[in-house]
Amino acid sequence: MYVLKTRNETFDVVVCGGGLAGFCAAVSAARNGAKTAIIQDRPVFGGNSSSEVRVTTHGSAAFHAYARETGIISELLIEERARNHEEINENGWTNSVWDMTMYDMAIRTSNLEVFLNTTVQGVNKADNRTIESVVCHVLNAEVELTIKGKVFIDCTGDGIVADRSGCEWRFGEEAHEEFNEPHAPEKASENVMGSSIHFKAVDMGRPVPYKAPSWIKNYEDASFFYKQGRPLEHTGHKENDRYRGGYWWLEIGIPWDTIYENEDIRHELTRHTLGVWDWIKNKDPELKEIAKNYALEWIGQVPGKRESRRIMGRYLMTEHDPLNKKVFEDEVAFGGWNVDLHAPGGLLASSSEPAAMEGYKVVSEFQRATLCGPYGIPLNMMISKDIDNLMMAGRNVSATHAALGTVRVMGTTAIMGQGVGTAAAVSVNLDLKLPEVADNYIDTVKQKLLRDGCFLLNNKNEDENDIARKAKVTASSEAKCVGVGPNTQGVHEGLRFWKTQHQTSKTDKLMQRRGQWIAVGNDKIKTLSVCLTNHSDEIQHVQAKVVTVEDIWDYSVDGSEELADTTLEVTPGENKWISWSVQLNTSNGLPKSGYIRLDLLENENVEWHRAGKIEPGHVCAFDIGNRMRRYDHGISMSYKVEPAQRCFSAENILSGFTRPYRSTNLWRSDEKSPDAPWIELSWDEVMSISQVELTFPGNILREYHAYESFYRDPQCAKDYSISAWVNGEWKEILQVNDNYQRQRKHKLNSTVHTDRLRLTIHATNGDPSAAVYEIRCY
């Protein structure tokens, strides 16, 4: 007789769903002291990022330099790149090393219990506004598992827990008249973005035939790909050959229901994917020759879903919020992906999404209308309005269809997950309901997130328990910004896009206005210089401006305050340094710290050369029509500034920010200094210190897929030690070797009593300068 074995468990926090949102929620809750369970219906963590689906993690750094998500997701991605032998593509190449990286973290996390291959089937409620437990089935084990909890977090994607609890949810597109959103249709519909599967092919070194099954979708018309926004690019460089797999547009949704007809969608996607491979191998006149040696190695059978239920929270995000960069008091995460709404129907639609249809132009009306961020994400859009102990993170959060177009990408959902996991732990530890946490204890949540490595746009470290904030800071030396030229050498090994930059243009001619952020740290700038080539036979004139900016993502053009203006005269010839006696000082508008932006206006005959290295914290952008966007993938243009600017001072480690933002926020040593670089904290009285927490630079400039296999960021400290001044001499209290992680927390073997603490960096992973964003002491 068939009898299910029953099992009952009790936890503080129960996370349902083990994608990136759920995983980061569970780890953060457990790390913050809550006994936590994570329930995942697959054998691996990662959801769409796992080896079952293989979508690489995207986020804000796709559009904004230095905007990669940090915290738990950063730990994972840094670890995976350091461990993994295999290159990754923009879509579709994640292997099992990623699965094991996540599994390893889960198993090593105290207070966290893992339930894989376990699916949520029902919900028990204590009353109308309280969930008591979830009822689960353990696949292949004939076990019914009931898990009680104080706080539940729905990261199932489809909002299963919320739906079974009777929560209100939305599905499909809102009508334009409801919220007046720019990308909402005139009439509401049940259209949602579809699901995708990926494939991967390998070069066998010899011709490999492909015979397609009879049941595939046969493609015969090249215009389906080349005129309808479904590109099959070939660059001629093996590492960039898109025909080896990973087309995001292998997507199908309506007319099938993305919840109830997921298996029908999977089968249809398989038919179409094999049909696309058949086109590449046997029909496309160019690609069949290029791909003749390639064999199909893998094809996904778990559809990567983009959209279904969206659970209504205490706040509903609309498209206006990210487009206008609304500031939220309850900000716990940030986003910066564009408003990316895929065409309903995917492969069955008459054409692909607008960005693909226009060939991914970087300047277009569509780009101007959809670019957004970085913007804040509020906790209240992740707290259910109907259930007091339920939160959600991932693609099922409280957002309109249009707003979901930007918050749905996995880098963003991961930090949303860490936000709700931290809030859940605060709720449990202080015995508070979730609404009370959001309304009255949000500062506690935000300060915990900052301490755990996350970044918040409108908040900085104000932790009263951080002893370092009371210290004076000195260092062995400080680097100064003098500028960078076309031939300036940098350390960029393993950072993809450095040589080619994936440029749409083969030159850096001034086709539009372009701006270079320059960090300031003196009370004056006498001279600015730029390296230009005049490609014509006549003298050319280029208008130059210096404007104020609030931060490195201040893309304003017309709204900026102009500090100086001139016209540069450029004689014919290559690589000419053109100087401008700008004579700026604090009395005529130069900020004492932060950034200015040097803009050169359009002149198609003149080329402003890019620098030969990446200057930390320095970025450039170009005008796309009344606003700027990042130029290339995060580089510096060639410039010189005189006198040299003290923008990498030791005091920066106490700025409260751990990435370039309103200033560089970074201490860098002078690479010419002969001694091992050190940075020191000193106090007026003896302090008792039992924990030291460090944040090093690296791994935030570009998106995850820009980093090669076995990558360790050169800027990150490799070997370092911490010493304390005790009884009139330095005593080493900690030594670390072979580090490559951005954030490290060190609990000392015993409490040290000292008025001076020194961090010495004996070696980096390649950069001749040592660097630190933050030191905390507790």
Side-chain angles (χ1 to χ4, degrees), residues 91-148:
N91 285 299
W93 289 18
T94 315
N95 66 14
S96 292
V97 174
W98 173 241
D99 298 340
M100 289 298 103
T101 301
M102 297 188 72
Y103 190 71
D104 175 51
M105 178 180 283
I107 297 304
R108 288 187 294 104
T109 298
S110 301
N111 297 322
L112 180 62
E113 188 162 345
V114 170
F115 297 90
L116 293 175
N117 293 305
T118 303
T119 180
V120 176
Q121 295 189 320
V123 172
N124 295 319
K125 296 171 70 174
D127 55 53
N128 286 338
R129 297 192 61 88
T130 308
I131 297 174
E132 181 181 64
S133 63
V134 290
V135 181
C136 312
H137 181 74
V138 182
L139 305 177
N140 304 314
E142 298 186 10
V143 173
E144 183 180 87
L145 176 65
T146 300
I147 299 182
K148 292 184 177 181

Side-chain angles (χ1 to χ4, degrees), residues 438-510:
D439 294 344
N440 300 320
Y441 290 85
I442 190 62
D443 287 341
T444 301
V445 176
K446 291 190 288 190
Q447 289 302 315
K448 285 181 178 293
L449 288 168
L450 292 172
R451 183 175 178 181
D452 290 338
C454 293
F455 170 70
L456 300 176
L457 284 156
N458 301 291
N459 298 272
K460 64 179 182 178
N461 174 20
E462 295 177 338
D463 188 347
E464 295 179 353
N465 296 317
D466 178 10
I467 301 170
R469 295 178 62 232
K470 304 174 183 178
K472 298 176 183 177
V473 189
T474 55
S476 56
S477 65
E478 293 176 349
K480 292 183 178 179
C481 177
V482 298
V484 282
N487 298 317
T488 309
Q489 296 297 307
V491 184
H492 309 293
E493 290 82 359
L495 186 58
R496 197 185 297 184
F497 305 146
W498 176 246
K499 292 181 180 179
T500 67
Q501 299 294 323
H502 268 200
Q503 293 184 120
T504 53
S505 173
K506 294 185 179 180
T507 75
D508 289 317
K509 290 182 179 179
L510 287 166

Side-chain angles (χ1 to χ4, degrees), residues 204 264 294 412 478 509 552 578 654 680 684 724 754 757:
M204 302 300 294
D264 297 294
Y294 281 78
T412 305
E478 293 176 349
K509 290 182 179 179
I552 61 170
I578 311 298
L654 301 183
E680 183 180 316
D684 293 334
T754 184
L757 195 77

Side-chain angles (χ1 to χ4, degrees), residues 156-375:
T156 61
D158 286 340
I160 294 170
V161 178
D163 176 61
R164 304 301 188 270
S165 303
C167 292
E168 179 188 347
W169 46 266
R170 291 182 176 224
F171 190 101
E173 301 171 306
E174 287 81 7
H176 183 269
E177 67 178 7
E178 186 172 5
F179 300 110
N180 198 32
E181 294 175 300
H183 291 92
E186 287 303 313
K187 294 183 179 180
S189 78
E190 292 198 349
N191 290 344
V192 296
M193 290 176 280
S195 305
S196 292
I197 62 174
H198 288 313
F199 71 89
K200 183 182 178 184
V202 293
D203 186 350
M204 302 300 294
R206 57 181 173 81
V208 180
Y210 176 70
K211 181 176 175 57
S214 60
W215 45 266
I216 69 163
K217 165 65 178 177
N218 283 295
Y219 287 102
E220 306 292 342
D221 185 1
S223 66
F224 177 83
F225 303 104
Y226 299 112
K227 293 184 178 180
Q228 296 180 22
R230 301 178 181 100
L232 295 160
E233 298 103 325
H234 170 63
T235 64
H237 300 286
K238 182 177 178 180
E239 66 270 20
N240 293 325
D241 285 343
R242 286 285 297 276
Y243 60 82
R244 290 195 287 167
Y247 302 120
W248 62 263
W249 46 259
L250 290 169
E251 174 182 357
I252 290 177
I254 60 169
W256 289 277
D257 188 294
T258 55
I259 296 175
Y260 295 104
E261 297 174 311
N262 192 54
E263 274 300 293
D264 297 294
I265 291 173
R266 180 201 58 78
H267 174 66
E268 288 300 313
L269 282 169
T270 305
R271 291 181 62 238
H272 284 261
T273 300
L274 292 176
V276 169
W277 183 243
D278 182 50
W279 169 268
I280 292 172
K281 285 288 291 183
N282 300 321
K283 298 175 182 178
D284 188 289
E286 179 184 0
L287 289 186
K288 69 180 182 181
E289 178 62 25
I290 295 171
K292 65 181 180 181
N293 290 352
Y294 281 78
L296 190 62
E297 179 184 64
W298 171 86
I299 179 170
Q301 287 295 278
V302 179
K305 198 178 295 187
R306 290 181 177 86
E307 184 179 6
S308 55
R309 297 185 185 100
R310 304 187 306 278
I311 312 306
M312 292 300 96
R314 299 181 77 212
Y315 182 83
L316 175 65
M317 174 181 277
T318 70
E319 187 184 4
H320 299 291
D321 296 335
L323 289 178
N324 297 324
K325 297 169 67 171
K326 182 174 179 178
V327 176
F328 295 99
E329 178 61 30
D330 57 333
E331 171 190 28
V332 294
F334 72 96
W337 191 259
N338 70 333
V339 181
D340 183 13
L341 296 168
H342 289 213
L347 289 167
L348 306 183
S350 58
S351 64
S352 186
E353 65 173 356
M357 284 295 295
E358 63 181 27
Y360 298 105
K361 291 181 179 179
V362 292
V363 180
S364 70
E365 186 57 40
F366 174 77
Q367 293 293 342
R368 285 190 286 270
T370 59
L371 287 172
C372 57
Y375 58 85

